[in-house]
Amino acid sequence: MPNNQAEELKKKLFKNKENGWNEVDENIREEIFSYAKGYIEYLNNSKTEREIIKSSKKIAEENGFKNIENMESLHAGDKVYYINREKSMYLAIIGNENIENGLNIIGAHADSPRLDLKPNPLYEDSGLAFLKTHYYGGIKKYQWTTIPLAIHGVIVKSNGEKVEVRIGEDEEDPIFTITDLLPHLAQDQMDKKLRNAIDGENLNLLVGSIPYGKDVAEAVKLNILNILNEKYGITEIDFTSSELELVPAMKCRSMGFDNSMVAGYGQDDKICVYASLTALMEIQNPLKTSVCIISDKEEIGSMGNTGMESHVFDTFISEILNKMGINRPNLLEKVFCNSKMLSADVDAALDPIYASVSEKNNAAQFGGGIGLNKYTGARGKSGASDANAEFVAEVRNIFEKNNVKYQVSELGKVDVGGGGTIAYILANKGIDVIDCGVPILSMHAPYEVSSKFDLYSAYKGYIAFWKE
Ligand code: MN
Ligand code: MN
């Protein structure tokens, strides 16, 4: 058989594995770069779940979304949102079709791995003041030492007054850091396994070194409390009712000589939050009711009243049915059983330096477009929400019709990978769900890397899903 004939046949029968950048013209490339600029700005303004919700509320309101609590009734085309305790948010555009036929949902999460302050964090040792932390989510502890850290969050006084804290982001602000042992004295530490090299109890933030006065016990601690009292009007006990999060004080930046990537903290999963939120802003008068979820607590199991496991999302949909004037017993369950969802969470991109943990044919590639994970479990698909083939076909069809570059992958080798998302929680309600997000390098590190092409593919993919 002549060679060119075999090539023709290949073209017809083989899956297209072309690098996405090769498939876009100059105009689209410009669009990709300008879209990524907006993303970088969004990330720089919002590093915690509370800040993401604040930024997202602003974007939603600028685009005509209204708080559902202020709406008497709802009709096709109406745009509403609900914010749950400043940490999670649901948005919806009422569709033209009978809502009984189901919703089209895209859900991402706003929380990212970080270090939280303990309830009683402040102490002094050897003339230095520290804040004790308890890490949040799955981190490699050694990555969080000797990097600049900022403190973000709220302190709520017993009278209910809330003080917002955001220190370490402005050029004029001080930053903080967690120290590590110098190599000269680290022989024992260097012999430890990486997971044990830094003890969780030693992730203590260095915050001060000037004593308040001579011959005063705990004078450095006193000086810090005095500064905090003057600045925020708080005393030591107020830490117990605070939520203060340590996040990298590094800016999200464009990356690479070719500017093809984004480096920044918290891209898991704020990259999918941004892609889905901005996609929703492009939707007008959809056929199906379009719903966007920004959830919290995904990194620690989605529990609690702001996590996806809470029933607040169900209450939001019930409230829509109430305000449409059509609710009746079991309608909510029926709506869910007919609904479809993209669980928008990041995927692990193939890292050629660590290729041995992935299986190349089934790993997401940078520049390969939005990543679909049919299931997420490892070791016998344990605990996985496995999307039905019929639904995978439907999603493929939407992407193919709309020229959205996509890839279908697994997170790691069969007996290596793992990691869950919110997919199973919604699937348990009877919704057809598939994981569908952006592949990331260095996931859960203080500085994660994404491809601008894949970010843009996610944005376009989410628009296509809602426009169906
Ligand atoms: Mn995630
Ligand atoms: Mn994660």
Side-chain angles (χ1 to χ4, degrees):
M1 196 185 289
N3 248 353
N4 57 350
Q5 206 182 328
E7 285 306 319
E8 280 296 299
L9 197 58
K10 258 191 182 175
K11 220 176 190 175
K12 188 177 154 199
L13 298 181
F14 277 25
K15 190 157 48 85
N16 168 13
K17 286 186 122 177
E18 190 62 50
N19 187 311
W21 291 105
N22 285 338
E23 293 178 345
V24 296
D25 60 22
E26 201 48 47
N27 289 338
I28 303 283
R29 192 178 285 219
E30 279 312 305
E31 234 179 276
I32 292 174
F33 285 161
S34 101
Y35 180 72
K37 233 181 191 170
Y39 168 57
I40 289 170
E41 204 182 293
Y42 176 80
L43 265 199
N44 277 329
N45 289 324
S46 9
K47 290 190 175 178
T48 65
E49 63 280 26
R50 285 178 194 266
E51 289 170 359
I52 281 283
I53 297 308
K54 208 183 247 182
S55 307
S56 302
K57 177 178 182 235
K58 188 165 170 268
I59 292 174
E61 284 181 344
E62 282 166 3
N63 284 276
F65 282 77
K66 298 199 167 73
N67 189 334
I68 191 169
E69 292 175 313
N70 301 330
M71 303 289 280
E72 295 246 309
S73 62
L74 289 175
H75 310 276
D78 283 349
K79 300 174 174 185
V80 289
Y81 68 81
Y82 177 74
I83 291 176
N84 181 8
R85 296 171 170 87
E86 298 182 7
K87 294 183 199 172
S88 62
M89 181 174 188
Y90 317 117
L91 304 97
I93 306 176
I94 310 302
N96 285 301
E97 200 184 272
N98 186 346
I99 198 166
E100 267 189 64
N101 298 342
L103 317 163
N104 280 348
I105 307 168
I106 300 180
H109 66 91
D111 61 316
S112 303
R114 58 178 193 251
L115 308 176
D116 286 345
L117 290 197
K118 288 193 183 195
N120 302 293
L122 185 59
Y123 76 99
E124 173 177 340
D125 192 351
S126 310
L128 299 174
F130 294 94
L131 292 172
K132 296 220 47 100
T133 69
H134 194 139
Y135 63 94
Y136 174 98
I139 62 164
K140 291 163 99 174
K141 298 180 196 100
Y142 71 90
Q143 293 178 334
W144 292 76
T145 62
T146 67
I147 58 168
L149 293 165
I151 305 177
H152 291 226
V154 295
I155 304 168
V156 187
K157 298 180 192 174
S158 60
N159 65 4
E161 187 196 329
K162 194 180 290 182
V163 182
E164 285 194 28
V165 178
R166 186 183 161 94
I167 180 160
E169 297 295 343
D170 285 340
E171 284 302 312
E172 303 299 310
D173 282 355
I175 53 92
F176 309 90
T177 197
I178 293 167
T179 57
D180 191 9
L181 207 47
L182 58 165
H184 320 62
L185 297 179
Q187 281 85 341
D188 286 349
Q189 185 194 39
M190 302 279 245
D191 284 340
K192 286 184 183 169
K193 284 192 168 168
L194 204 51
R195 75 161 75 237
N196 303 324
I198 305 287
D199 192 357
E201 207 55 71
N202 287 344
L203 290 172
N204 302 327
L205 192 71
L206 181 56
V207 296
S209 62
I210 301 179
Y212 186 79
K214 268 190 211 164
D215 304 324
V216 183
E218 297 185 281
V220 180
K221 172 177 168 175
L222 178 62
N223 193 43
I224 295 298
L225 279 174
N226 191 41
I227 291 168
L228 293 176
N229 183 263
E230 280 172 2
K231 187 164 172 151
Y232 301 116
I234 60 161
T235 66
E236 188 178 12
I237 185 82
D238 292 319
F239 276 120
T240 58
S241 49
S242 71
E243 284 178 1
L244 295 171
E245 306 175 6
L246 308 186
V247 294
M250 304 177 285
K251 276 210 153 86
C252 178
R253 306 282 289 265
S254 185
M255 186 180 139
F257 285 120
D258 55 7
N259 278 296
S260 62
M261 296 168 277
V262 174
Y265 163 72
Q267 299 201 65
D268 174 7
D269 186 31
K270 297 174 178 74
I271 193 166
C272 294
V273 172
Y274 185 74
S276 56
L277 182 76
T278 51
L280 187 70
M281 300 305 125
E282 298 300 317
I283 307 299
Q284 305 287 348
N285 297 305
L287 210 53
K288 292 251 168 99
T289 295
S290 310
V291 176
C292 179
I293 298 173
I294 305 175
S295 73
D296 180 32
K297 298 284 185 281
E298 193 277 341
E299 296 296 354
I300 56 168
S302 294
M303 308 303 280
N305 59 15
T306 59
M308 204 62 235
E309 293 273 14
S310 89
H311 293 192
V312 179
F313 176 65
D314 299 31
T315 308
F316 172 68
I317 302 300
S318 287
E319 199 59 0
I320 288 177
L321 300 175
N322 290 335
K323 295 198 170 181
M324 289 176 80
I326 58 166
N327 212 353
R328 59 169 201 270
N330 300 110
L331 178 58
L332 180 69
E333 286 85 343
K334 191 167 178 198
V335 168
F336 281 150
C337 285
N338 290 329
S339 293
K340 298 176 199 316
M341 175 181 181
L342 301 181
S343 164
D345 207 342
V346 298
D347 189 8
L350 175 77
D351 186 336
I353 302 176
Y354 301 101
S356 64
V357 297
S358 301
E359 185 260 297
K360 269 193 173 160
N361 269 328
N362 284 285
Q365 301 269 356
F366 253 36
I370 188 168
L372 293 164
N373 278 174
K374 189 174 179 295
Y375 48 86
T376 50
R379 287 167 284 272
K381 295 191 175 182
S382 181
S385 167
D386 198 345
N388 299 302
E390 291 85 348
F391 182 53
V392 183
E394 251 181 80
V395 174
R396 271 186 53 204
N397 183 36
I398 292 170
F399 290 170
E400 286 164 14
K401 268 194 326 209
N402 290 282
N403 230 342
V404 174
K405 180 95 174 163
Y406 72 91
Q407 48 189 330
V408 184
S409 59
E410 263 191 274
L411 198 153
K413 278 184 176 168
V414 172
D415 287 328
V416 175
T421 64
I422 60 169
Y424 75 93
I425 303 165
L426 285 296
N428 286 348
K429 298 183 200 291
I431 301 171
D432 260 317
V433 186
I434 186 165
D435 278 299
C436 177
V438 182
I440 296 278
L441 288 171
S442 307
M443 194 197 290
H444 283 205
Y447 225 40
E448 300 171 315
V449 180
S450 62
S451 153
K452 289 181 185 175
F453 176 83
D454 299 334
L455 162 66
Y456 186 76
S457 300
Y459 168 63
K460 286 291 179 188
Y462 297 154
I463 292 176
F465 178 74
W466 271 320
K467 280 199 170 159
E468 269 311 294

